[in-house]
C-alpha cells in the first residue's frame, strides 16, 4: 500500500452499455472478486438493477440500466438490524452503525453490531472472528470499525490516540449557541449509576477535549460539526450539556426535546493510519436525512 489518503464508499454503481447476463456483467466489472464471491452477492440479495433486488444469475441486462452493489449485512427486517458496510479487507471491516443498535452486548442472544458481523464473516469461513476496537453509544449512529484479527486489534488499541488523526461527529443540539465555535476542555468522572459528569479541576478524572462549530441553525436547534481530541465515554453529550445546549433526545443529559425520536448524534468521520501498512485511511458518511430535514439544510 502507498501513503496516499484513501476514501471508500458504501455502494458501487455501474451503468450497462451493452446487453448481457447479470453474472457475466458483474464478473467483468468486479475484477477483484472471484466468481463465487459474486454469486454470493446475488444470493445474499446485495445486487440491485434499477432499484430492484435481483438474485437471478442470467438476468438479462439492457443498455442504460443501473446496477448497484449494496454492501449490507441483513438479519431480520428491523432497520437497526441492517448494517451498511463502508469498507472491508483482510484486516478491517467498517460499518455505518444505525442508532438503537449496541456495538456489543454480553447477552449471547442479544442483537449487536458485533454479533451481526460475526454471522456475516462466518458465511465464508465458519471459524472467522471479529474484534471490537472502539465503541459508539447504542443511540449514536455512524462509523464503527472492527478488526478481523487479534494482531490488528491490539495494535490499534495500544496506540489509538497516536494512530487516529480525526474523529468527526455531527450533532443537533437544543437552542442557538452564542459562541458559534469553541473548544471545551474538562475532566470526566463516572458515578456508580453510570452517569458521567464534568469537572474543571485538572486531573480530577479523565481529560476530555471537544471542538465544535455551528454549521446551521434554526430558531430552536443548531447543527454542529464536532471534532474530538479525546474519546471519552459520553464526552460529547456531557460537554453539550455543560454548554447549556444538550443533544436532542438525550434525556440522560438534560434534553427537553426529542424531535428525531432518537439521539441527535452521528459519527460521520474516522481517519486513522493503518499500523502495519502505514496508509492513511478515511471513512465518511453523510449527515442523516432526518438531521437535514430538522435543521432545514
Amino acid at each position: 500500500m502507498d501513503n496516499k489518503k484513501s476514501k471508500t464508499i458504501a455502494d458501487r454503481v455501474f451503468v450497462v452499455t451493452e446487453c448481457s447476463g447479470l453474472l457475466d456483467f458483474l464478473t467483468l466489472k468486479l475484477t477483484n472478486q472471484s466468481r463465487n464471491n459474486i454469486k454470493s452477492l446475488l444470493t445474499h440479495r446485495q445486487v440491485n438493477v434499477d432499484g430492484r433486488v435481483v438474485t437471478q444469475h442470467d438476468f438479462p441486462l439492457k443498455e442504460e440500466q443501473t446496477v448497484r452493489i449494496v454492501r449490507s449485512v441483513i438479519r431480520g427486517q428491523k432497520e437497526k438490524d441492517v448494517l451498511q458496510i463502508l469498507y472491508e479487507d483482510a484486516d478491517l471491516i467498517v460499518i455505518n452503525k444505525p442508532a438503537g443498535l449496541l456495538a456489543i452486548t454480553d447477552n449471547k442472544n442479544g442483537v449487536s453490531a458485533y454479533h451481526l458481523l460475526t454471522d456475516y464473516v462466518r458465511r465464508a469461513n465458519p471459524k472467522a472472528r471479529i474484534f471490537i476496537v472502539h465503541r459508539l453509544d447504542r443511540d449514536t449512529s455512524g462509523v464503527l470499525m472492527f478488526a478481523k484479527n487479534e494482531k490488528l486489534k491490539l495494535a490499534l488499541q495500544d496506540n489509538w490516540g497516536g494512530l487516529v488523526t480525526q474523529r468527526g461527529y455531527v450533532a443537533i443540539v437544543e437552542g442557538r449557541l452564542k459562541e458559534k465555535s469553541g473548544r471545551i476542555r474538562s475532566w470526566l468522572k463516572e458515578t456508580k449509576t453510570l452517569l458521567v459528569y464534568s469537572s474543571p479541576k485538572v486531573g480530577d478524572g479523565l481529560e476530555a477535549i471537544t471542538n465544535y462549530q455551528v454549521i446551521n441553525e434554526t430558531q430552536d436547534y443548531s447543527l454542529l460539526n464536532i471534532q474530538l481530541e479525546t474519546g471519552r465515554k459520553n464526552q460529547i453529550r456531557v460537554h453539550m450539556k455543560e454548554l447549556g445546549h444538550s443533544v436532542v433526545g438525550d434525556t440522560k443529559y438534560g434534553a427537553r426535546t426529542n424531535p428525531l425520536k432518537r439521539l441527535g448524534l452521528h459519527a460521520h468521520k474516522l481517519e486513522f493510519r493503518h499500523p502495519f501498512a502505514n496508509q492513511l485511511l478515511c471513512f465518511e458518511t453523510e449527515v442523516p436525512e432526518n438531521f437535514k430535514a430538522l435543521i432545514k439544510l
Side-chain angles (χ1 to χ4, degrees), residues 1-14:
M1 292 184 180
D2 58 30
N3 292 327
K4 294 180 180 178
K5 183 184 289 189
S6 171
K7 287 191 177 183
T8 61
I9 57 175
D11 298 350
R12 297 191 67 182
V13 181
F14 306 101

Side-chain angles (χ1 to χ4, degrees), residues 92-123:
L92 292 172
I93 186 164
V94 184
I95 66 168
N96 183 12
K97 186 188 83 68
L101 180 69
L102 286 165
I104 191 169
T105 176
D106 293 332
N107 181 356
K108 291 184 179 181
N109 297 319
V111 177
S112 68
Y114 173 85
H115 287 107
L116 291 172
L117 287 176
T118 297
D119 288 348
Y120 166 71
V121 298
R122 286 181 177 172
R123 292 176 191 170

Side-chain angles (χ1 to χ4, degrees), residues 124-141:
N125 176 5
K127 295 183 179 180
R129 297 178 65 191
I130 61 167
F131 301 84
I132 195 155
V133 176
H134 67 118
R135 303 192 185 206
L136 294 178
D137 293 339
R138 181 184 64 186
D139 296 320
T140 299
S141 57

Side-chain angles (χ1 to χ4, degrees), residues 107-270:
N107 181 356
K108 291 184 179 181
N109 297 319
V111 177
S112 68
Y114 173 85
H115 287 107
L116 291 172
L117 287 176
T118 297
D119 288 348
Y120 166 71
V121 298
R122 286 181 177 172
R123 292 176 191 170
N125 176 5
K127 295 183 179 180
R129 297 178 65 191
I130 61 167
F131 301 84
I132 195 155
V133 176
H134 67 118
R135 303 192 185 206
L136 294 178
D137 293 339
R138 181 184 64 186
D139 296 320
T140 299
S141 57
V143 181
L144 182 62
M145 176 171 64
F146 293 83
K148 295 174 76 174
N149 57 70
E150 195 166 14
K151 183 180 177 183
L152 182 64
K153 172 207 169 185
L154 293 173
L156 287 169
Q157 290 186 333
D158 288 347
N159 191 24
W160 182 255
L163 293 170
V164 175
T165 51
Q166 285 193 57
R167 289 189 73 181
Y169 289 72
V170 288
I172 294 185
V173 301
E174 296 178 330
R176 301 173 66 144
L177 281 69
K178 183 177 179 181
E179 300 291 336
K180 303 306 179 186
S181 64
R183 183 174 187 262
I184 307 166
R185 183 186 185 212
S186 70
W187 284 259
L188 302 185
K189 300 175 74 173
E190 189 172 5
T191 67
K192 292 180 180 179
T193 58
L194 305 182
L195 189 71
V196 179
Y197 66 96
S198 181
S199 168
K201 185 179 178 181
V202 176
D204 189 23
L206 298 173
E207 183 181 30
I209 303 173
T210 303
N211 298 283
Y212 71 89
Q213 183 170 15
V214 175
I215 301 172
N216 203 359
E217 57 189 9
T218 66
Q219 189 63 38
D220 300 312
Y221 305 108
S222 298
L223 178 67
L224 308 184
N225 178 32
I226 293 173
Q227 297 291 328
L228 296 184
E229 293 185 34
T230 60
R232 308 303 184 193
K233 180 180 178 180
N234 294 169
Q235 176 177 323
I236 295 172
R237 299 164 63 182
V238 174
H239 277 171
M240 292 304 104
K241 178 186 178 182
E242 189 174 312
L243 276 184
H245 298 276
S246 295
V247 176
V248 297
D250 193 3
T251 54
K252 183 176 180 178
Y253 291 104
R256 300 182 301 277
T257 62
N258 188 16
L260 299 171
K261 308 305 178 190
R262 56 155 290 186
L263 187 70
L265 189 58
H266 177 75
H268 82 98
K269 186 173 185 177
L270 176 64

Side-chain angles (χ1 to χ4, degrees), residues 17-82:
T17 56
E18 59 182 56
C19 298
S20 72
L22 179 56
L23 181 59
D24 291 338
F25 176 82
L26 292 174
T27 302
L28 287 172
K29 295 297 183 182
L30 302 175
T31 55
N32 62 335
Q33 298 284 332
S34 70
R35 196 170 178 86
N36 283 338
N37 284 344
I38 295 171
K39 288 179 179 178
S40 180
L41 292 174
L42 291 164
T43 301
H44 291 111
R45 302 173 61 82
Q46 292 177 247
V47 179
N48 288 357
V49 178
D50 288 344
R52 183 166 64 91
V53 174
V54 176
T55 59
Q56 181 184 338
H57 292 190
D58 60 351
F59 181 85
L61 295 176
K62 300 176 183 178
E63 289 184 23
E64 299 186 357
Q65 284 188 305
T66 299
V67 178
R68 181 184 296 270
I69 312 301
V70 182
R71 302 296 307 279
S72 62
V73 181
I74 302 173
R75 176 170 146 183
Q77 298 302 313
K78 295 180 182 178
E79 182 180 354
K80 70 179 181 64
D81 291 353
V82 179

